[in-house]
Amino acid sequence: DTVLTQSPALAVSPGERVTISCKASESVSTRMHWYQQKPGQQPKLLIYKASNLASGVPARFSGSGSGTDFTLTIDPVEADDTATYFCQQSWNGPLTFGSGTKLEIK
Amino acid sequence: EVQLVETGGGLVQPGRSLKLSCVASGFTFNNYWMSWTRQAPGKGLEWVASITNSGGSTYYPDSVKGRFTISRDNAQNTLYLQMNSLRSEDTATYYCTRAHTRSYFDYWGQGVMVTVSS
């Protein structure tokens, strides 16, 4: 199975730019997707196919990457962005998710 | 507005069975693949099952293959997950999700909790 590796946690101040990384154990082409999960809520799709903004998602969110290295960028960060962010691949075998990056807004 | 409402969760003993349901509204149900994804308490996300829009094909990871069965009733806009031979490691919140083929999940239900314990 394709393993997706994410940093466990990040802390940034409002107004800053934050990048959240996701590294795949093998190429997933551009079939990488990003979700936001706020405490006590279901996940929400942010970015699909590496760089496409999902419907209703603010333009502060963007995604990039291909192959094995992907990035979710939030610029500027707002207090409401406190959440865990998951990447997910759909190129190889069973669909797999990263373990999530918990974003704290200082 | 797309809505996915799961029901059927609860406490079940190891080895027993449980069936989850998900009623969909706000979109043309039979145009979309559907999936189930779960999240163990305090843990990450795990894809559990997917089904094509017609119901003709189903897909599972090895962790549940042979124990779980995904199905759908397009006339009733309802998705199901039959879970047999449940194990403690199946304890999780189960989310019904609308899927873009075997790709990404663009809408998620609020989730239903399944606890497998004696």
Side-chain angles (χ1 to χ4, degrees), chain A residues 31 33 35 37 41-45 48-49 55 86 88-95 97-99, chain B residues 35 37 39 43-47 50 60-62 95 101-111:
Chain A
R31 297 304 194 266
H33 323 292
Y35 302 86
Q37 187 177 33
Q41 296 186 16
Q42 68 268 50
K44 171 188 173 183
L45 178 68
Y48 63 96
K49 296 181 184 178
S55 176
F86 295 94
Q88 176 241 321
Q89 69 82 25
S90 61
W91 187 246
N92 303 310
L95 307 178
F97 289 86
S99 55
Chain B
S35 296
T37 300
Q39 186 171 36
K43 302 295 184 182
L45 299 164
E46 181 187 17
W47 166 67
S50 292
Y60 308 91
D62 288 345
Y95 295 102
T101 61
R102 73 167 301 278
S103 187
Y104 56 92
F105 310 111
D106 62 351
Y107 286 95
W108 298 62
Q110 84 287 349

Side-chain angles (χ1 to χ4, degrees), chain A residues 71-93:
Chain A
T71 299
L72 172 70
T73 300
I74 312 173
D75 187 13
V77 164
E78 297 181 357
D80 188 52
D81 297 333
T82 296
T84 299
Y85 293 84
F86 295 94
C87 54
Q88 176 241 321
Q89 69 82 25
S90 61
W91 187 246
N92 303 310

Side-chain angles (χ1 to χ4, degrees), chain B residues 79-94:
Chain B
L79 178 72
Y80 302 100
L81 184 68
Q82 175 68 46
M83 304 184 290
N84 298 333
S85 304
L86 283 162
R87 306 168 180 167
S88 58
E89 55 263 38
D90 295 319
T91 294
T93 296
Y94 285 73

Side-chain angles (χ1 to χ4, degrees), chain A residues 5-16:
Chain A
T5 301
Q6 298 183 247
S7 299
L10 286 171
V12 298
S13 298
E16 291 185 348

